[in-house]
């Protein structure tokens, strides 16, 4: 079964030090599909979905209004 993931603040620290975990994961686990860092948009059955690490990001981008939100890091 395919899994889609998004990187967050802890993953970004590695990338800033030239180790991109999101590029390495699919090499080890072919069913993992990274879609970016912090936030990504995609459509399922023509419904716009925001896949986001932190809901504060959405507040900054008011031009795009997703129909569904999958959010993590909500504390």
């Amino acid at each position: 079964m395919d899994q889609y993931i998004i990187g967050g603040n802890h993953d970004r620290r590695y990338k800033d030090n030239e180790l991109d975990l999101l590029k390495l994961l699919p090499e080890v686990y072919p069913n993992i599909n990274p879609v970016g860092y912090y936030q990504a948009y995609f459509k399922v059955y023509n419904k716009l979905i925001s896949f986001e690490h932190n809901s504060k990001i959405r507040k900054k981008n008011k031009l795009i209004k997703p129909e569904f939100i999958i959010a993590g890091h909500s504390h």
Side-chain angles (χ1 to χ4, degrees), residues 24-25 50 68:
L24 295 174
L25 278 171
S50 174
F68 297 100

Side-chain angles (χ1 to χ4, degrees), residues 13-72:
R13 289 179 191 161
Y14 290 101
K15 186 174 184 193
D16 291 343
N17 289 301
E18 300 182 16
L19 179 63
D20 193 344
L21 294 177
L22 295 188
K23 287 185 178 179
L24 295 174
L25 278 171
E27 293 176 13
V28 179
Y29 304 101
N31 64 319
I32 290 182
N33 301 287
V35 294
Y37 284 92
Y38 298 110
Q39 186 173 29
Y41 291 98
F42 56 95
K43 284 189 173 187
V44 175
Y45 297 112
N46 212 29
K47 302 288 184 190
L48 184 63
I49 296 174
S50 174
F51 189 36
E52 53 198 57
H53 172 71
N54 185 338
S55 60
K56 292 177 185 175
I57 293 169
R58 188 175 359 94
K59 293 175 187 173
K60 294 178 186 176
N61 187 356
K62 295 181 181 180
L63 297 175
I64 299 173
K65 298 189 188 277
E67 295 183 61
F68 297 100
I69 298 164
I70 301 170

